[in-house]
Amino acid sequence: MTRPGSLARAWLAALVLAAVPASAARDEAALRACLRANLPSAAVSQDIVITQTDAGGAVKRLSGRWYWQRSDSRQRAMLKLSTPEDLNGAAYLFIRDGGKETFWLYLPSVGQVRKVVGATVAQSLFGSGLSAFDLKFLFSGLTGGQVRYLGADSRGGRSGERWRYQPPSAPDILYDRVELVIDDLWCLPTHADLFGGVPWKTLEVDPASVSKRDGRWQAGRVLLTDLRASNRSEIRLGTESIVDSFPESRFDPRKFYRQP
């Protein structure tokens, strides 16, 4: 079954809060409940286009397809590129099994799969301006950690609430806090500031791209700005396809890059 809209916008869905009057502060329980309610319940794939503009104005565009599947204790996601030509077939895999997270990368020029560890988790993936951690962060949701309500806020004439997310302590957690503005009506984060000791990145949702599908508000265009590298990455998400499940080989570190 196919539908227009966004993919398992797990990062966005993970931060969605139940719609309540602006005068009533939402608590962590409401956030967590809405997290569960807004994550897709089936396996999802979707076209994705990432356009990166660096500090000198040079533009690089990558396109491919994103695959995502979850169960109660497991999340798996895979990105496979089709363009540019020199990256056709390049692939990235993320697996969360229980509390353990692993990242894998395949480059056709190298011809082998390598595990992404340590500082390389923060490096630009395929020259897109997004790191392996960013993709996980954007689409796989915010799990664990703590959230705290900071007060009322607004962006672009829209009312919202400001929240702070404190990630759990772990070697591969690159951001030490995230501050978000959650739109009162959409219950989507319209703006996020990501800190890694200092302000590191900002994320903005294009209001014109927001639509309601199957009772969920979804954003189809997201802008991620790296404040330290002075580059910007635009993420556009296309038609969403939902199936019961994907073959296990799609998320197998030995085989994922071979899948069509």
Side-chain angles (χ1 to χ4, degrees), residues 50-233:
I50 303 170
T51 304
Q52 192 248 10
T53 305
D54 69 17
V59 176
K60 183 172 186 176
R61 183 170 289 107
L62 301 91
S63 63
R65 196 155 183 88
W66 181 261
Y67 302 84
W68 188 83
Q69 184 169 307
R70 75 180 180 101
S71 62
D72 290 341
S73 61
R74 204 176 191 195
Q75 272 188 17
R76 294 174 292 173
M78 194 269 277
L79 168 66
K80 187 169 185 179
L81 296 181
S82 55
T83 62
E85 186 174 349
D86 63 330
L87 286 174
N88 182 20
Y92 154 84
L93 175 67
F94 164 71
I95 298 174
R96 176 188 292 126
D97 197 349
K100 183 179 180 182
E101 296 181 349
T102 51
F103 304 84
W104 306 85
L105 182 66
Y106 173 79
L107 291 172
S109 59
V110 177
Q112 63 182 19
V113 175
R114 67 181 178 88
K115 192 173 183 179
V116 183
V117 296
T120 55
V121 175
Q123 294 175 359
S124 178
L125 192 64
F126 309 127
S128 66
L130 277 74
S131 67
F133 187 83
D134 288 331
L135 282 174
K136 169 255 177 176
F137 187 80
L138 286 165
F139 295 106
S140 295
L142 299 179
T143 59
Q146 298 177 332
V147 291
R148 182 161 66 92
Y149 174 76
L150 299 180
D153 205 323
S154 63
R155 298 275 165 158
R158 300 189 61 86
S159 64
E161 295 177 344
R162 179 168 286 278
W163 287 79
R164 176 175 295 163
Y165 170 72
Q166 200 80 38
S169 297
D172 290 332
I173 297 293
L174 303 183
Y175 305 126
D176 52 44
R177 80 178 191 273
V178 181
E179 296 196 358
L180 308 141
V181 175
I182 308 295
D183 188 90
D184 280 335
L185 173 62
W186 296 337
C187 295
L188 290 177
T190 54
H191 181 93
D193 295 307
L194 296 86
F195 296 82
V198 296
W200 190 345
K201 297 183 181 182
T202 63
L203 183 144
E204 297 174 279
V205 166
D206 177 5
S209 75
V210 176
S211 60
K212 196 173 187 179
R213 304 290 179 189
D214 300 325
R216 293 185 298 133
W217 291 99
Q218 303 174 344
R221 179 172 178 262
V222 179
L223 299 174
L224 185 69
T225 302
D226 188 320
L227 302 174
R228 300 194 291 190
S230 299
N231 61 43
R232 192 180 216 199
S233 297

